[in-house]
Amino acid sequence: MEQVKLYDTTLRDGMGGRGMSLSVGEKLKVVRALDGLGVQTIEAGFPSSNPKEMELFEQLAGLELEQATIAAFGMTRRRDRSAADDEALAVLVGSFAPVVCLVGKSWGLHLEKVIKVSAEENLAMIADSIGFCRERGKRAVFDAEHFFDGYRDDVAYALECVRAAADAGAENVTLCDTNGGSLPGFVAEATAAVVEALGGATEVGIHTHDDAGCAVANSLAAVEAGARLVQGTVNGYGERCGNANLATILPALQLKLGFDVVAPERLEKLTSTSLYLDELCNMTPDPDQPYVGRNAFAHKAGMHAAGVEADASTFEHLDPAEVGNQRQILASELSGKATIRSQAEGAGLELDEAAATQAVEQLKQREHEGYHYEAAPASFELLLRREAGSYQPLFELESFKVLVEKRADGAVETEATIKVKVDGKRYVRVAEGNGPVNALDSALRGAIADRYPHLAEIELTNYKVRILDESHGTGAVTRVLLDSADGEREWGTIGVSENIIEASWEALVDSLEYAFQQ
Amino acid sequence: MEQVKLYDTTLRDGMGGRGMSLSVGEKLKVVRALDGLGVQTIEAGFPSSNPKEMELFEQLAGLELEQATIAAFGMTRRRDRSAADDEALAVLVGSFAPVVCLVGKSWGLHLEKVIKVSAEENLAMIADSIGFCRERGKRAVFDAEHFFDGYRDDVAYALECVRAAADAGAENVTLCDTNGGSLPGFVAEATAAVVEALGGATEVGIHTHDDAGCAVANSLAAVEAGARLVQGTVNGYGERCGNANLATILPALQLKLGFDVVAPERLEKLTSTSLYLDELCNMTPDPDQPYVGRNAFAHKAGMHAAGVEADASTFEHLDPAEVGNQRQILASELSGKATIRSQAEGAGLELDEAAATQAVEQLKQREHEGYHYEAAPASFELLLRREAGSYQPLFELESFKVLVEKRADGAVETEATIKVKVDGKRYVRVAEGNGPVNALDSALRGAIADRYPHLAEIELTNYKVRILDESHGTGAVTRVLLDSADGEREWGTIGVSENIIEASWEALVDSLEYAFQQ
């Protein structure tokens, strides 16, 4: 099997994504996670004299990795000085990183409008800079910025640029679709031309952006045209519409196109690595993300579920275990008894025939009222537990009261009072909040926190409200979905009521109770 | 220019997306929005005897559209009866929809494991069902389910299936990548084979899913191989990883591949249509979505911004105005003033230079806080009126208080107390409600109804809640959108606050005040 290598640029190009911000410690964790997944080269950024970057490179120099190599990023020399006199290149070759990646121009429009150098001088800048890095013992990658726009504009000059880098000793020339607007057919054509022009002596890479929604397909098209290295970011972090998503490209290369990219046991870490990186970068995981998303192998009950049971390949494009994900059969009013019993089994519960029938009835009734258990598996498990007789309430509610007051001076005050019993002992607490549900959450936790110290670790991560049958205006039914996490697990709960406070309360109680079920 | 047509299946396949749920009224709004964008065929679902679907098809029958055609969806006949005896087909041909789309099998594995019919019987099911619909005067589309898996498995049989549909009179045969795992190269090859097999006599369509992150590229590859109709959903709604995103495919076909899809002025509605559909479906718009996302044309200040100033094509793959989006540069841009003055004029208001500057500042500040005036033009007009000095408050709020109490017996009671002044006279009222906002609405109306009898005609028709920055759990900012109507006009207002009650109050007051502005 032919090899294709991955080159992750989360710590450089990915940092242009809106809201991306990582400490040195977090960047090191990103590097370890990418190394564990099997990414061959990890671009760590520009080793400037900025103290934060200096610290990162110092720490990286001492990091023991399983297999990955660190690359440092920079630009070709400035037009008004030799490579040896360029301070930025000096910092690059002075860094510990064995690989340097230099970005340079290959499009006349940019030479003319942006950096204002002649076509000839640009070729010299590329050759000199790559040559200088090679002389100082570095392995060199040349990132041909705007290559596809350049190729569209002037094939011969674009090829001259990459040839200049190859001739100067670059081990890899990566073609960048910097503006992200190219489509796969054109990417394949231009890549094939470069592979031919370089005669196989220099490895060709591909670097795409998702502005046309084709970053993944463009990367695959380039590989099919002869590229053997793919630059991108796991989860597609990056500015505008993002960089090429390596979490989508890796399984396609390995499981669909038959290339050798990472060891199969590393590929099984794909889903957990993707989630972990989202957590490090403080991004909400995309539930619909190919291969690794929570919904990627979710099947509605009914024909799909039955088909999957008969032969998974009827409704699945690959085995979710190969990428470390899991099949999910979504409960809905269409589910039959068999689905429900198998779900109960999955949660370690035993449902007898009568209890299963009863659970199906409950499910139908509740979905009719507006519950939507697909989005709230934890509430569904609590429903099953109630039917199986293994449900343990956290507390007994006596009453709660929520008061929202807008005063004459415009200030808004919110407080919640709660009265509950745990093991016969009564707890009464009041709490303020920035909204009614927040106040209620605080009051409840205040009341029972001593009895359940684990509560402190449970965080509400997501709160969604949907008004059902909206045509009734403010008198319609409200559905609340709540996501929670405790550092180890994530779970979703639901509440439905005409009254938004009551609906939120229900989802909140389910969330906390789920965490304590055994 | 050759034509390619769009076929939107949001109301059928898109409804499989997690959390998708639309009322009949919302579905009609989706249809109108897609029609306005220029989508040629809109699949509305299965016209069953279910009361909700019946109502939808009744309403659709009376809807005047600018250009779109409605399609009704169903399956090929059951194996144990003739097409004429199949109840589901009878409902289909009995519907008003001029186009019917029938889904059928083309993969041996499914015949064997899922529906258990012979290869021959399946061909008869296809031919009979299409023929029956044609006899009854319908235009027919055949959706070849799992076509690409079938083609991979047995080229000859897969082609026989589509030929059976074409020979029976289908005007279009659409190849479905139902499991979503195919890659563009293979999709192109298989599509070309079908185009050749049908000899150009029958139009070929493509229907893809995003399980390999290639739904868009697969659709484009099929069109380049001869397909002339693309099925998908605007914004990519759909189960698992979603259907092909028509909002990404449309501009690629028209602006990059040179096909004639919709009129250029319709294409300019792409961004606003995408946002509007997300609002209707209560989905959070993806800020990184190609072409239409908030970040799609965002440039960081510095070299990119300077390059864009010199020549936009240096850093933009197309002009954002062509898809109704806007460039965003982090420098202060004054372009807003002219737009705002013309909007004020539209509402019969005069804004002088200073007031217009002030309004632009207000708008920026408030959109930054989470307001979204596109969805609430009435609140925006009130903002302009305040700046123009022609705003008339309905009343002066002294204070309000909302109390929600869940008693020991489980009953929930909600009441709101309000204290307001109108023309110096003080009114104090209390009202109960089925939720806090309903109670507040009743109390306010009770307090001022005598002074404003027209209030009785104003109905709140729609109430939507969206949590912004959902990662803060119940402490996040809440955005409320309220639609109102008085029998003559409809208008939308907005409120934003950490506190859902305060946000609702703001939208409610705007709603009532807007109705009384002169």
Side-chain angles (χ1 to χ4, degrees):
Chain A
M1 279 193 303
E2 246 191 297
Q3 218 204 352
V4 173
K5 288 180 286 185
L6 301 180
Y7 180 111
D8 184 282
T9 180
T10 298
L11 299 184
R12 202 268 305 170
D13 217 11
M15 296 308 290
R18 199 183 278 232
M20 284 284 281
S21 153
L22 292 169
S23 67
V24 169
E26 286 164 337
K27 286 184 176 180
L28 293 170
K29 286 182 184 167
V30 167
V31 168
R32 276 213 199 83
L34 293 170
D35 179 40
L37 180 62
V39 171
Q40 285 85 357
T41 311
I42 300 170
E43 193 174 77
F46 176 63
S48 74
S49 47
N50 160 329
K52 196 172 155 187
E53 293 299 309
M54 265 177 68
E55 194 197 334
L56 174 65
F57 274 81
E58 261 167 42
Q59 300 255 14
L60 283 172
L63 198 67
E64 263 187 51
L65 295 175
E66 291 174 22
Q67 55 81 37
T69 305
I70 300 293
F73 180 84
M75 296 166 75
T76 52
R77 69 162 171 82
R78 294 172 63 170
R79 59 178 166 169
D80 57 359
R81 63 200 65 183
S82 72
D85 289 334
D86 191 290
E87 302 83 350
L89 284 177
V91 174
L92 264 187
V93 298
S95 111
F96 85 95
V99 176
V100 297
C101 177
L102 295 184
V103 64
K105 300 287 180 187
S106 57
W107 184 15
L109 183 72
H110 265 251
L111 297 179
E112 181 196 330
K113 306 259 180 172
V114 184
I115 64 165
K116 299 185 169 67
V117 306
S118 70
E120 209 149 294
E121 177 62 14
N122 180 54
L123 293 174
M125 284 160 64
I126 295 170
D128 292 355
S129 310
I130 295 284
F132 176 72
C133 293
R134 295 291 296 131
E135 276 163 29
R136 302 301 168 102
K138 296 298 182 187
R139 292 166 50 195
V141 171
F142 177 62
D143 262 15
E145 199 190 24
H146 296 286
F147 176 80
F148 295 95
D149 296 301
Y151 185 90
R152 206 177 282 117
D153 185 41
D154 182 346
V155 172
Y157 186 68
L159 293 178
E160 266 186 85
C161 292
V162 299
R163 219 182 271 118
D167 290 348
E171 70 175 34
N172 174 291
V173 166
T174 288
L175 314 178
C176 302
D177 187 33
T178 312
N179 292 356
S182 297
L183 298 181
F186 178 68
V187 168
E189 178 197 322
T191 305
V194 172
V195 170
E196 202 196 320
L198 300 183
T202 307
E203 181 185 79
V204 174
I206 180 74
H207 172 118
T208 65
H209 287 259
D210 207 30
D211 297 75
C214 290
V216 166
N218 285 341
S219 302
L220 300 179
V223 169
E224 289 186 292
R228 287 297 174 266
L229 177 143
V230 180
Q231 294 192 358
T233 62
V234 169
N235 295 337
Y237 307 125
E239 65 180 324
R240 302 191 315 274
C241 307
N243 282 62
N245 188 344
L246 293 181
T248 314
I249 292 167
L250 165 55
L253 288 175
Q254 182 139 333
L255 302 177
K256 291 173 185 283
L257 296 176
F259 288 98
D260 173 21
V261 190
V262 304
E265 63 274 16
R266 291 192 189 272
L267 187 54
E268 286 168 16
K269 292 188 198 173
L270 188 66
T271 299
S272 59
T273 304
S274 160
L275 281 171
Y276 179 61
L277 289 173
D278 271 340
E279 193 180 306
L280 284 174
C281 299
N282 201 21
M283 296 287 167
T284 307
D286 176 4
D288 295 354
Q289 190 177 159
Y291 304 100
V292 299
R294 182 160 50 99
N295 298 341
F297 298 94
H299 302 280
K300 298 227 169 190
M303 194 195 268
H304 276 215
V308 166
E309 194 126 317
D311 181 340
S313 67
T314 51
F315 286 103
E316 275 174 3
H317 68 114
L318 51 76
D319 178 358
E322 292 188 275
V323 291
N325 206 343
Q326 286 180 347
R327 179 175 308 144
Q328 277 191 60
I329 305 283
L330 301 176
S332 86
E333 47 190 328
L334 302 171
S335 315
K337 246 186 317 191
T339 315
I340 282 192
R341 290 185 82 168
S342 87
Q343 280 188 297
E345 255 171 56
L349 298 171
E350 264 183 51
L351 275 191
D352 62 24
E353 196 63 19
T357 308
Q358 183 63 23
V360 170
E361 284 309 307
Q362 273 272 342
L363 182 62
K364 279 191 190 160
Q365 175 59 29
R366 302 203 124 209
E367 295 239 328
H368 181 72
E369 289 166 14
Y371 287 82
H372 186 57
Y373 285 104
E374 274 177 27
S379 285
F380 183 62
E381 192 181 313
L382 287 172
L383 183 154
L384 293 180
R385 281 185 179 275
R386 286 191 187 95
E387 294 307 328
S390 71
Y391 160 73
Q392 298 166 310
L394 270 193
F395 60 87
E396 190 188 323
L397 177 71
E398 188 179 307
S399 66
F400 70 68
K401 204 186 289 182
V402 178
L403 180 69
V404 180
E405 187 166 7
K406 185 168 173 119
R407 296 189 320 229
D409 65 3
V412 179
E413 283 191 355
T414 306
E415 64 173 54
T417 307
I418 195 157
K419 300 177 184 178
V420 297
K421 277 188 194 155
V422 183
D423 299 337
K425 188 160 177 237
R426 194 156 170 271
Y427 298 85
V428 178
R429 283 292 182 287
V430 64
E432 290 190 305
N434 54 19
V437 183
N438 183 247
L440 205 44
D441 180 32
S442 300
L444 175 60
R445 286 172 186 247
I448 63 176
D450 291 349
R451 301 299 297 266
Y452 302 104
H454 175 53
L455 273 181
E457 286 148 41
I458 299 172
E459 208 196 334
L460 307 181
T461 55
N462 208 324
Y463 172 71
K464 283 197 185 192
V465 178
R466 173 151 178 85
I467 311 298
L468 306 175
D469 197 2
E470 289 161 350
S471 51
H472 289 129
T474 56
V477 170
T478 303
R479 177 162 75 202
V480 168
L481 290 170
L482 199 59
D483 286 341
S484 310
D486 65 0
E488 282 181 15
R489 295 184 302 170
E490 275 196 301
W491 60 95
T493 55
I494 191 168
V496 172
S497 166
E498 273 186 338
N499 192 313
I500 190 169
I501 309 294
E502 167 75 356
S504 304
W505 167 255
E506 198 183 352
L508 181 64
V509 172
D510 270 11
S511 160
L512 303 184
E513 291 200 329
Y514 176 79
F516 288 89
Q517 301 299 318
Q518 315 281 345
Chain B
M1 280 193 304
E2 247 191 296
Q3 220 204 350
V4 173
K5 287 180 284 184
L6 302 180
Y7 180 112
D8 184 282
T9 180
T10 298
L11 300 184
R12 201 269 305 170
D13 217 11
M15 298 307 293
R18 197 183 279 230
M20 283 284 281
S21 150
L22 292 169
S23 67
V24 169
E26 286 166 336
K27 286 184 176 181
L28 293 171
K29 286 183 184 168
V30 168
V31 168
R32 276 212 200 85
L34 294 170
D35 180 40
L37 180 62
V39 171
Q40 285 86 356
T41 310
I42 301 169
E43 194 174 77
F46 177 63
S48 73
S49 47
N50 160 327
K52 198 171 151 185
E53 294 298 310
M54 263 177 69
E55 194 196 334
L56 173 64
F57 273 82
E58 259 167 43
Q59 300 255 14
L60 283 172
L63 198 66
E64 263 188 49
L65 294 176
E66 290 175 22
Q67 55 80 39
T69 305
I70 300 293
F73 181 85
M75 296 166 74
T76 51
R77 69 163 172 81
R78 294 172 64 168
R79 61 178 165 170
D80 56 359
R81 63 200 65 183
S82 71
D85 290 335
D86 191 289
E87 302 83 349
L89 284 177
V91 174
L92 264 187
V93 298
S95 111
F96 85 95
V99 176
V100 298
C101 177
L102 294 185
V103 64
K105 301 285 180 190
S106 57
W107 185 15
L109 183 72
H110 265 253
L111 297 179
E112 180 197 332
K113 305 261 179 171
V114 184
I115 63 167
K116 301 185 169 68
V117 305
S118 70
E120 209 149 295
E121 176 62 13
N122 181 53
L123 292 174
M125 284 161 65
I126 295 170
D128 292 354
S129 309
I130 296 284
F132 175 71
C133 293
R134 295 290 296 131
E135 276 163 27
R136 302 301 166 104
K138 298 295 182 188
R139 293 166 49 196
V141 171
F142 177 63
D143 263 14
E145 199 190 24
H146 295 286
F147 176 79
F148 295 95
D149 297 301
Y151 186 90
R152 207 178 279 117
D153 185 40
D154 182 345
V155 172
Y157 185 68
L159 292 179
E160 266 186 87
C161 291
V162 299
R163 220 182 271 115
D167 290 348
E171 69 175 33
N172 174 293
V173 165
T174 288
L175 314 178
C176 302
D177 187 33
T178 312
N179 292 355
S182 296
L183 298 182
F186 178 68
V187 167
E189 177 198 324
T191 304
V194 172
V195 170
E196 201 195 320
L198 299 184
T202 306
E203 181 184 78
V204 174
I206 180 74
H207 173 119
T208 65
H209 287 258
D210 206 32
D211 297 74
C214 291
V216 166
N218 285 341
S219 302
L220 299 179
V223 169
E224 289 186 290
R228 288 296 175 264
L229 178 144
V230 179
Q231 295 191 358
T233 62
V234 170
N235 295 336
Y237 307 126
E239 67 180 322
R240 302 191 314 274
C241 307
N243 282 60
N245 187 343
L246 293 181
T248 313
I249 292 168
L250 165 54
L253 288 175
Q254 182 137 334
L255 302 177
K256 292 174 184 285
L257 296 176
F259 288 98
D260 174 22
V261 189
V262 304
E265 62 273 18
R266 292 192 189 272
L267 186 54
E268 286 168 17
K269 293 188 197 170
L270 187 66
T271 299
S272 59
T273 304
S274 160
L275 281 171
Y276 179 62
L277 290 172
D278 272 339
E279 285 291 347
L280 284 174
C281 298
N282 203 21
M283 294 290 168
T284 306
D286 175 3
D288 295 354
Q289 190 178 157
Y291 304 99
V292 299
R294 184 161 47 99
N295 298 342
F297 298 93
H299 302 282
K300 303 226 165 186
M303 194 197 267
H304 275 216
V308 165
E309 192 127 316
D311 182 339
S313 66
T314 51
F315 286 104
E316 274 174 5
H317 68 115
L318 52 76
D319 178 358
E322 292 188 275
V323 292
N325 205 342
Q326 287 182 347
R327 178 177 307 146
Q328 279 190 54
I329 293 180
L330 291 170
S332 76
E333 44 135 352
L334 303 164
S335 66
K337 231 180 344 181
T339 317
I340 281 193
R341 290 184 81 168
S342 85
Q343 280 187 288
E345 254 170 58
L349 299 171
E350 263 184 51
L351 277 191
D352 62 24
E353 195 62 21
T357 307
Q358 184 62 23
V360 170
E361 283 311 306
Q362 275 272 341
L363 181 63
K364 277 190 194 162
Q365 176 59 29
R366 303 203 124 209
E367 297 238 326
H368 180 72
E369 289 165 15
Y371 288 82
H372 183 57
Y373 285 105
E374 264 181 31
S379 286
F380 184 61
E381 191 182 314
L382 288 171
L383 182 154
L384 293 180
R385 281 185 180 276
R386 286 189 187 95
E387 294 307 329
S390 71
Y391 161 73
Q392 299 166 308
L394 270 192
F395 60 88
E396 192 189 323
L397 178 71
E398 188 180 308
S399 66
F400 70 67
K401 205 185 290 184
V402 177
L403 181 69
V404 180
E405 187 165 6
K406 185 168 173 120
R407 296 190 320 226
D409 65 2
V412 180
E413 284 191 353
T414 306
E415 65 173 53
T417 308
I418 196 159
K419 301 176 184 175
V420 297
K421 277 187 193 153
V422 183
D423 299 336
K425 191 165 175 228
R426 196 157 170 269
Y427 298 84
V428 177
R429 284 290 182 289
V430 64
E432 289 190 306
N434 54 18
V437 183
N438 183 246
L440 204 45
D441 181 32
S442 300
L444 175 60
R445 287 171 186 248
I448 62 175
D450 292 350
R451 301 299 297 264
Y452 301 105
H454 175 53
L455 273 182
E457 287 148 42
I458 300 172
E459 207 197 336
L460 306 180
T461 55
N462 207 326
Y463 172 71
K464 286 199 177 188
V465 178
R466 161 72 57 78
I467 310 299
L468 306 176
D469 196 0
E470 289 160 354
S471 53
H472 287 129
T474 56
V477 169
T478 303
R479 178 164 75 201
V480 168
L481 290 171
L482 199 59
D483 287 340
S484 309
D486 63 2
E488 283 182 14
R489 295 184 302 171
E490 273 195 303
W491 61 96
T493 56
I494 190 167
V496 172
S497 167
E498 273 186 339
N499 191 311
I500 192 170
I501 308 295
E502 166 75 355
S504 305
W505 168 256
E506 199 184 350
L508 180 64
V509 172
D510 269 12
S511 161
L512 302 184
E513 291 201 328
Y514 177 79
F516 287 89
Q517 301 299 318
Q518 314 281 345

